[in-house]
Amino acid sequence: MPKERLFLFDTTLRDGAQTNGVDFTLADKLAIAAMLDELGIDYVEGGYPGANQTDSELFGKDRKLDTTFTAFGMTRRPGRSASNDPGLAALLEAKADAICFVAKSWDYHVKVALETTEEENLASIRDSVRAAKGKGREVLLDCEHFFDGYKANPKYALACAKAAYDEGARWVVLCDTNGGTLPDEVEKLVGEVVKVIPGDHVGIHAHNDTDQAVANSFAAVRAGARQIQGTLNGLGERCGNANLVSIIPTLKLKPEFAARFDIGVSPAALKKLAHVSHALDERLNRAPNRHAPYVGESAFATKAGIHASAIMKDPATYEHVAPETIGNRRKVLVSEQAGKSNVLAELERGGIKVDKDDPRIGRLLEIVKEREAIGYAYEAADASFELLARRTLGKVPNYFDVTQFDVNVEQRNNAKGERVTVTMAVVKVKVGEDNMISAAEGNGPVNALDLALRKDLGKYQKYIAGLKLTDYRVRILNGGTEAVTRVLIESEDEKGDRWTTVGVSANIIDASFQALMDSIIFKLVKSGAPA
Ligand SMILES: [Zn+2]
């Protein structure tokens, strides 16, 4: 029997941006969208064009993505025509493949929050869908508070959904906005909706206020809905949204769903899921949840004892799925082979060819383990891993040596009597037989050091001219007896390629220096600079 297609809609960049403490920059949004696209997510909701500078810029230019890039916004305001509503106009002008409107579907909200009539709200839905269709966009309607609305007035909640569907909306999305609906209710109500609107036009948008957003999403699918909305790592306001990082592997690996449905995520992309989840955390400067299902560091960790010895005989004894399928790894036992295949996969990702039986692979694995134990995070720092691998395999020339550096931070009053902090760095570099000294002032020690280091690299200067640092993140790790600082630096070159490097030390300057050096050397390797 042919499988049915189930669609995934990610709202990390819109609903996820409502998370306390999360503030995406334009660069963040572009990078996350690219990651979601590569993962095979059908729809990526980028944000709310017109609502803020970042989102307006995001929707101001074309992106090269396969996903259906979606703009979010309100239906036309009550009492206005569609052509005379600036908010709607901004949405229609946005460079997006699809538009997701949000509309009230609870009569109580229509009256109290919107202060309009039920009929005017329906007209607003119809007019907005028509206007977006007229602009050639695929249209979705998020029915806000659908489940609470349906319980209060089923006829009206359905009328809102139906208005959008009849007007040609591709999807009508049922939102559990307050997140308090339970799975059996979701299944029952979605079952009612799909009698009126075909299930392959119905989506579910669940919030996690009873810790059942994932279960609610599956309940909706069981009842007939064919689109699931969620976020990476369950990001979202209050308790978060349905977690796509848990939903995706369940759909791919559990026969109840895998036998019935196809999704856009391939088995190869599924293997990158743990990486995607951790990369998002690193970007947000958050510690990944060790106990996250499927992707957490502890998800397949077994303490020594009878479990471990059974696992060594056959992993299936204590694992509900194979960890490699989602790019995670088994901890304990470390069957050499498992760790090795991870490293080999990483090398392949970096385009490094090496024989799988090369003894240096085992050595590299040891080094990675030792360094991760003291705080290095190679999952986030792809470029540092690649360098480490190339070094272990003897493939990185010694381009230059930093023989000495010095950073001076001074606080004093300037001529105007203002308190200022002045930072200067001096770096001595040896390139071949040439010794060079560069000095630079910066707005902080790391900035000054970076500027001085990149000021003059002699014959290598031309290779790093287009290099710039785009992000700098610091985390204090509690490494047992004393705190250790981990620095992650993201760099970009003239081609727009990005990479991340890592440094770890008890001293923040030292950690930053390591990450800066890795970034420069990675760029030289990448550019094919001669030794
Ligand atoms: Zn929401």
Side-chain angles (χ1 to χ4, degrees):
M1 217 174 79
K3 292 190 198 176
E4 253 188 279
R5 185 70 158 82
L6 194 60
F7 293 84
L8 297 176
F9 182 107
D10 179 280
T11 182
T12 304
L13 302 179
R14 201 273 302 172
D15 232 0
Q18 303 299 318
T19 314
N20 214 336
V22 168
D23 190 15
F24 294 123
T25 62
L26 182 61
D28 286 336
K29 286 204 164 193
L30 289 169
I32 294 167
M35 206 157 72
L36 290 163
D37 185 42
E38 207 179 313
L39 189 57
I41 303 295
D42 302 293
Y43 296 81
V44 172
E45 192 169 53
Y48 200 160
N52 60 62
Q53 184 67 28
T54 302
D55 287 359
S56 296
E57 276 181 51
L58 179 67
F59 284 100
K61 54 181 174 186
D62 287 316
R63 302 137 307 259
K64 292 178 198 85
L65 301 174
D66 293 326
T67 188
T68 302
F69 201 71
T70 307
F72 174 86
M74 315 252 259
T75 49
R76 74 154 172 83
R77 275 190 268 166
R80 289 212 180 204
S81 70
S83 56
N84 187 28
D85 182 326
L88 181 60
L91 196 52
L92 296 176
E93 286 314 309
K95 289 193 170 154
D97 309 309
I99 292 177
C100 182
F101 289 109
V102 59
K104 307 280 182 199
S105 57
W106 186 353
D107 59 353
Y108 165 71
H109 270 264
V110 171
K111 203 168 97 191
V112 176
L114 270 190
E115 297 181 15
T116 188
T117 63
E118 292 180 12
E119 187 39 52
E120 172 62 5
N121 184 50
L122 291 174
S124 156
I125 293 172
R126 285 191 293 263
D127 292 349
S128 306
V129 172
R130 195 182 312 123
K133 293 273 297 178
K135 282 274 185 182
R137 303 291 194 277
E138 183 175 336
V139 185
L140 302 91
L141 182 82
D142 270 5
C143 296
E144 201 185 43
H145 297 290
F146 182 84
F147 294 92
D148 297 302
Y150 190 95
K151 282 186 263 182
N153 183 346
K155 228 175 116 199
Y156 188 67
L158 263 180
C160 294
K162 191 84 175 14
Y165 175 69
D166 288 345
E167 204 59 59
R170 169 69 183 88
W171 293 100
V172 173
V173 183
L174 313 178
C175 301
D176 186 25
T177 309
N178 293 355
T181 311
L182 300 178
D184 57 333
E185 290 178 297
V186 169
E187 194 162 345
K188 190 169 148 247
L189 268 53
V190 173
E192 295 299 319
V193 174
V194 300
K195 288 177 191 163
V196 181
I197 299 169
D200 58 1
H201 291 268
V202 174
I204 178 75
H205 176 110
H207 278 261
N208 200 33
D209 297 72
T210 72
D211 208 7
Q212 297 185 88
V214 169
N216 280 342
S217 305
F218 292 135
V221 170
R222 265 193 291 273
R226 292 297 176 257
Q227 184 194 94
I228 299 177
Q229 298 201 343
T231 59
L232 287 178
N233 296 345
L235 237 55
E237 205 170 12
R238 306 188 309 275
C239 316
N241 287 54
N243 185 358
L244 287 180
V245 174
S246 295
I247 288 172
I248 291 168
T250 301
L251 292 174
K252 291 291 289 180
L253 303 174
K254 298 295 174 181
E256 176 189 350
F257 298 105
R260 286 183 61 197
F261 300 110
D262 269 330
I263 59 172
V265 181
S266 68
L270 185 64
K271 282 189 180 168
K272 293 184 188 149
L273 190 68
H275 175 77
V276 166
S277 168
H278 299 160
L280 181 76
D281 283 326
E282 288 300 344
R283 187 163 278 280
L284 296 173
N285 207 11
R286 296 176 148 202
N289 175 8
R290 301 175 66 91
H291 303 285
Y294 296 107
V295 297
E297 212 185 317
S298 301
F300 298 96
T302 309
K303 263 190 168 175
I306 52 165
H307 292 189
S309 63
I311 274 193
M312 269 190 265
K313 285 176 200 143
D314 179 4
T317 50
Y318 283 95
E319 286 171 358
H320 71 117
V321 295
E324 310 83 60
T325 51
I326 47 253
N328 205 342
R329 52 188 154 185
R330 184 171 303 131
K331 286 185 82 175
V332 128
L333 105 162
V334 215
S335 91
E336 231 322 36
Q337 208 47 44
K340 202 169 157 179
S341 58
N342 282 325
V343 168
L344 284 168
E346 284 290 319
L347 293 177
E348 205 186 294
R349 197 175 351 181
I352 305 170
K353 286 190 178 45
V354 58
D355 187 86
K356 70 175 171 37
D357 296 320
D358 190 318
R360 289 174 300 182
I361 301 286
R363 176 77 195 115
L364 174 61
L365 190 58
E366 285 307 309
I367 298 173
V368 167
K369 277 181 193 159
E370 281 165 27
R371 290 171 72 92
E372 287 195 335
I374 58 171
Y376 286 84
Y378 288 107
E379 215 144 31
D382 48 353
S384 284
F385 174 79
E386 194 179 319
L387 273 186
L388 185 66
R390 287 181 183 274
R391 283 189 179 118
T392 310
L393 300 169
K395 288 181 180 170
V396 180
N398 186 28
Y399 297 109
F400 63 94
D401 287 308
V402 174
T403 51
Q404 192 181 332
F405 73 79
D406 183 271
V407 182
N408 182 43
V409 182
E410 185 180 284
Q411 195 171 82
R412 55 175 158 79
N413 290 332
N414 68 9
K416 291 182 199 157
E418 297 158 337
R419 202 72 183 151
V420 291
T421 305
V422 183
T423 311
M424 190 164 98
V426 179
V427 179
K428 289 187 189 172
V429 186
K430 190 159 190 266
V431 184
E433 291 309 306
D434 302 329
N435 285 296
M436 276 158 299
I437 300 184
S438 303
E441 277 190 5
N443 58 18
V446 176
N447 180 234
L449 187 58
D450 173 40
L451 294 175
L453 192 56
R454 291 195 285 133
K455 209 168 193 174
D456 190 5
L457 272 187
K459 62 175 176 173
Y460 295 123
Q461 195 58 28
K462 62 172 187 270
Y463 296 98
I464 63 164
L467 173 66
K468 61 178 186 213
L469 304 192
T470 51
D471 199 10
Y472 174 82
R473 280 164 289 166
V474 176
R475 182 170 323 139
I476 309 299
L477 307 168
N478 212 341
T481 50
E482 62 183 19
V484 174
T485 304
R486 177 201 293 159
V487 168
L488 286 166
I489 286 178
E490 192 179 277
S491 310
E492 194 183 272
D493 69 5
E494 64 282 359
K495 289 187 210 148
D497 289 345
R498 288 164 167 267
W499 61 89
T500 304
T501 53
V502 63
V504 171
S505 169
N507 182 316
I508 188 169
I509 304 289
D510 184 35
S512 306
F513 179 72
Q514 293 171 22
L516 286 172
M517 285 290 283
D518 267 10
S519 175
I520 292 171
I521 295 168
F522 182 78
K523 173 64 179 155
L524 292 176
V525 171
K526 184 174 174 292
S527 307

